[in-house]
Each structure stands twice: as structure tokens, then as C-alpha cells.
């Protein structure tokens, strides 16, 4: 009998999805999936994530070995749909993905494949995915995701985890060992640790006197210190441009110099800013510098602070600072108002910050404040 779920998907414009899934289901009935399964490019993990959801493992570097056995990219894609369809589409269940690379092997996937697959699968795959952890993300992987940003919803960036080390997967699963990752991947991970340790030791032997750190945890905080180069600070300086999540590591937090810093609740920070704003005369800020970045879009600076354009509610600029991890502190001299948004974890993208700021500005009658307009 015809599957009503598949019929509905076909009617909704997902005929290619139905074709691939049906082909894989037929191959399973005819016992012709052995070569695809042996390749192991797509698997269901032997464990669940921290919320009890299934985890699906993708090993794109294994696709190259499929040519010898006649396993095409289309067959692997169809097999992935077969593994996930029942849980994600038929039952409407949530799931997590771990995308595994090691930067030493090609992944055989181009930008076009990501675009076509994103458009081919039903919306349930987008909505029900609760996390996507990319292990050892290469620059090409990061650029691909950036190129896809016009397709992706803002909520996608909240689900993305850049696991530059296997240990970072503990954000997704209780036990990383339970994922049963390949021995070669774990050895490569240890190689990266040894390489970083050697580079850090060399940097500490030749450079000292300045340490820069930002830690966002608990209530949130920002620190800047001067002194001898510490291990945590050196690691932060080296890896932060690669992965913002490194700022959450306990090793980095413990190794940073205390310097000029503070820890506070968002309410306490907002009260402090409102007090500072009440002493200002709502000056006409002179723009000293401007920049355009992928993460923040266009930014303007004056007197060491960032200017945030405000539309409506008086339309005078707000001033403050925005961190790379998404936290934001600003005040409006015109209305004597302070707003602080402190995130407990580093985020790539400003979606959560924009939503919280929009709600606060609406409540306070401040109009619309431009935060990372044109950025992520």
C-alpha cells in the first residue's frame, strides 16, 4: 500500500526526496545495501545526546573509498534518508548530527550538494535538528556554511557547534567515548594537541608581557590583563580566531590574568550603564573609525565605544560594546537608559542577541537598534 506520508511529501514538492528514500527502502528489502553500509559514511550513533535524542554520524571523507565498490554519492544520500526518515519525518522526532572530518582527507562534497540537499529534504529535517557538531572543521567547511547563510535561518547558528577538539563534543553527548569514534580520528586529535602544545611553548619562550582574555560564563564577564604570557591566554590568542568556543574552556579561564575585569548579572550591568548614561550630555558622537566584518556587518566607533544606530523613539545613537561571543552592553545618553545582554556561552551569530534586544527596546519604547546589521 502507498505510504500516506510519502504521498504528502510528493504533493508538497519533495518528489526527489521521495524518489531517493524509496530507492533506499527497495534496496533494503532486496538486501543490496551491504556495500553502502560497509562504507560507513552515515551511521546512527550507539548513544543518544544529552536530551535523549538520536545522534547521526556523518563521515564525508569516506565517500572517496566508495568509488571502487560502486557506491555513489546519491546512494549514500539515499541511505542517510533511510536511516533518518522514520524518526524525523514519520514520528516528528528531534535529533542531533555529528559531522566528522580530520582535515587530512577530501570530503568529496561541494557547495552545490549542500544547497540541493538543504532544499530537497522536508522542513522537518531543518526544524527537528537540535544540534550540528562539526569535528575538526576545516576552513573550507566554515566558508561553505558562511556561503549558505542566505539559506539558513538565524536559529541554525544557535545549533552549530564547532568541535575543534573531540573533547568539545561533550556539549552534545554525556560521554564522547560512547560515540565510538574511529581510532584514526582520535589519534589525529591527539596530534593537534601536541602541535598546539609545542607552538604554545615556543610562543611562551619568546614572548611575554601581554595577555588578552575574554571569558563568558556564569553571569558573564570580560577581562584584559598585562603580564607574563600564561598558557590559557596563549591558547586563547591562538585558537579564538579559529573557534570562538575555546573561550568557554576551563583551561583558558583558569590561565587568564585577572587584569581589568568584572563579573556581573545582566541586571547589575544594565543599572551601571543607566547610571553612566545619566551623567552624559547626549553628545553628537564623532565617528573616529568604521569597519565591515562578516560576523558583525558594518560597525562605527567613537571615543573607544561602538555606535549603534537607533531608528524611532528619538533616533539618537546608543553607545557601548558588543563581544564576539554575542554579549552586548550599551546605553542611550538621550533617554538615560542602559541595556545589558550577557550570554553564558559563546555564540556564532547574533540571532539570540537581536531577539532579546528587540524585546527590551520595544518594552522601553526605544525603537529599533541596529546590531550586526548585515552580519550573521
Amino acid at each position: 500500500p502507498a505510504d500516506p506520508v510519502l504521498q504528502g511529501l510528493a504533493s508538497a514538492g519533495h518528489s526527489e526526496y521521495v524518489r531517493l528514500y524509496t530507492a533506499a527502502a527497495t534496496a533494503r528489502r532486496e538486501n543490496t545495501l551491504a556495500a553502502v553500509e560497509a562504507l560507513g559514511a552515515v551511521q546512527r550513533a550507539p548513544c543518544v545526546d544529552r536530551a535523549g535524542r538520536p545522534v547521526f554520524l556523518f563521515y564525508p571523507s569516506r565517500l572517496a573509498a566508495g568509488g571502487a565498490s560502486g557506491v555513489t554519492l546519491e546512494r549514500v544520500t539515499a541511505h542517510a534518508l533511510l536511516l533518518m526518515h522514520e524518526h524525523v519525518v514519520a514520528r516528528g522526532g528531534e535529533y542531533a548530527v555529528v559531522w566528522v572530518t580530520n582535515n587530512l582527507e577530501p570530503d568529496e562534497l561541494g557547495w552545490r550538494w549542500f544547497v540541493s540537499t538543504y532544499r530537497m529534504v522536508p522542513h522537518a529535517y531543518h526544524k527537528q535538528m537540535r544540534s550540528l557538531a562539526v569535528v575538526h572543521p576545516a576552513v573550507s567547511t566554515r566558508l561553505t556554511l558562511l556561503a549558505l547563510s542566505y539559506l539558513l535561518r538565524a536559529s541554525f547558528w544557535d545549533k552549530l557547534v564547532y568541535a575543534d577538539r573531540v573533547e568539545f563534543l561533550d556539549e552534545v553527548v554525556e560521554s564522547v567515548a560512547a560515540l565510538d569514534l574511529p581510532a584514526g580520528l582520535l589519534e589525529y586529535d591527539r596530534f593537534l594537541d601536541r602541535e598546539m602544545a609545542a607552538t604554545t611553548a615556543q610562543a611562551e619562550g619568546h614572548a611575554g608581557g601581554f595577555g588578552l582574555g575574554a571569558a563568558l560564563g556564569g553571569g558573564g564577564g570580560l577581562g584584559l590583563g598585562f603580564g607574563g604570557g600564561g598558557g590559557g591566554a596563549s591558547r586563547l590568542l591562538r585558537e579564538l580566531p579559529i573557534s570562538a568556543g575555546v573561550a568557554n574552556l576551563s583551561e583558558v579561564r583558569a590561565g587568564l590574568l585577572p587584569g581589568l575585569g568584572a563579573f556581573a548579572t545582566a541586571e547589575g550591568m544594565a543599572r551601571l550603564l543607566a547610571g553612566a548614561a545619566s551623567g552624559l550630555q547626549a553628545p553628537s558622537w564623532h565617528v573616529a573609525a568604521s569597519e565591515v566584518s562578516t560576523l558583525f556587518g558594518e560597525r562605527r566607533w567613537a571615543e573607544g565605544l561602538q555606535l549603534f544606530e537607533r531608528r524611532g523613539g528619538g533616533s539618537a545613537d546608543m553607545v557601548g560594546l558588543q563581544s564576539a561571543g554575542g554579549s552586548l552592553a550599551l546605553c542611550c545618553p538621550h533617554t538615560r537608559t542602559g541595556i545589558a545582554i550577557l550570554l553564558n556561552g559563546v555564540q556564532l551569530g547574533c540571532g539570540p542577541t537581536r531577539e532579546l534586544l528587540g524585546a527590551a527596546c520595544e518594552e522601553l519604547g526605544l525603537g529599533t537598534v541596529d546590531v550586526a546589521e548585515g552580519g550573521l
Side-chain angles (χ1 to χ4, degrees):
D3 186 328
V5 174
L6 294 178
Q7 287 182 324
L9 290 174
S11 300
H14 295 288
S15 56
E16 178 64 8
Y17 175 89
V18 173
R19 182 186 73 81
L20 290 175
Y21 172 80
T22 303
T26 301
R28 180 171 59 184
R29 288 195 301 270
E30 297 175 352
N31 296 318
T32 58
L33 279 177
V36 179
E37 292 174 341
L39 186 64
V42 185
Q43 306 173 24
R44 182 163 177 164
C47 65
V48 294
D49 72 358
R50 286 183 173 271
R53 298 177 286 245
V55 178
F56 295 94
L57 300 169
F58 288 79
Y59 295 92
S61 62
R62 295 181 176 179
L63 293 170
S69 55
V71 177
T72 63
L73 177 57
E74 180 176 296
R75 291 184 64 191
V76 173
T77 303
H79 180 55
L81 303 182
L82 182 67
L83 289 177
M84 304 174 72
H85 173 84
E86 183 64 25
H87 177 79
V88 178
V89 180
R91 300 177 188 171
E94 297 178 337
Y95 68 101
V97 170
V98 174
W99 191 274
V100 183
T101 65
N102 64 11
N103 292 339
L104 296 178
E105 301 170 346
D107 61 16
E108 300 294 315
L109 297 177
W111 178 79
R112 292 182 182 276
W113 180 86
F114 285 101
V115 172
S116 62
T117 303
Y118 183 87
R119 291 173 171 167
M120 178 261 293
V121 299
H123 180 64
Y125 283 90
H126 308 159
K127 181 180 179 181
Q128 264 87 266
M129 186 183 74
R130 306 318 303 163
S131 65
L132 167 61
V134 184
V135 182
H136 300 151
V139 173
S140 59
T141 303
R142 299 170 191 267
L143 290 176
T144 297
L145 287 173
L146 186 61
L148 291 171
S149 59
Y150 75 96
L151 278 176
L152 305 173
R153 293 174 177 263
S155 60
F156 170 83
W157 303 104
D158 302 331
K159 306 174 184 179
L160 180 63
V161 177
Y162 278 140
D164 294 279
R165 296 293 183 273
V166 169
E167 64 185 284
F168 293 180
L169 290 174
D170 63 1
E171 185 174 335
V172 179
V173 294
E174 290 281 353
S175 170
V176 176
L179 287 171
D180 195 23
L181 298 173
L185 179 76
L186 300 179
E187 177 56 36
Y188 177 69
D189 196 74
R190 288 189 287 270
F191 163 76
L192 292 178
D193 278 335
R194 292 193 298 268
E195 182 186 53
M196 184 186 65
T199 303
T200 299
Q202 182 179 12
E204 290 176 348
H206 292 83
F210 177 73
L212 170 66
L216 299 173
L222 179 67
L224 174 66
F226 295 86
S234 297
R235 180 171 186 181
L236 180 68
L237 287 170
R238 171 175 167 76
E239 295 200 12
L240 187 60
I242 302 174
S243 173
V246 73
N248 291 323
L249 291 177
S250 58
E251 174 190 341
V252 171
R253 295 182 185 178
L256 294 175
L257 298 175
L260 304 173
F263 285 87
T265 64
E267 180 182 359
M269 181 66 73
R271 290 182 182 276
L272 180 64
L273 289 170
S278 65
L280 298 177
Q281 300 301 315
S284 196
W285 298 91
H286 170 68
V287 177
S290 62
E291 63 176 340
V292 178
S293 72
T294 301
L295 179 61
F296 295 111
E298 184 177 0
R299 296 201 290 179
R300 299 173 299 135
W301 300 88
E303 305 296 332
L305 295 172
Q306 184 179 345
L307 299 178
F308 297 88
E309 182 180 354
R310 188 164 65 95
R311 296 183 291 275
S315 301
D317 282 347
M318 300 186 78
V319 296
L321 292 172
Q322 179 183 5
S323 76
S327 290
L328 175 70
L330 47 77
C331 65
C332 179
H334 181 75
T335 61
R336 309 294 198 268
T337 304
I339 298 176
I341 299 172
L342 305 183
L343 305 184
N344 286 337
V346 173
Q347 302 286 326
L348 177 63
C350 303
T353 305
R354 288 195 193 99
E355 292 181 16
L356 291 170
L357 180 61
C361 288
E362 181 178 358
E363 181 69 20
L364 297 171
L366 295 176
T368 302
V369 179
D370 176 3
V371 173
E373 191 71 25
L376 295 181

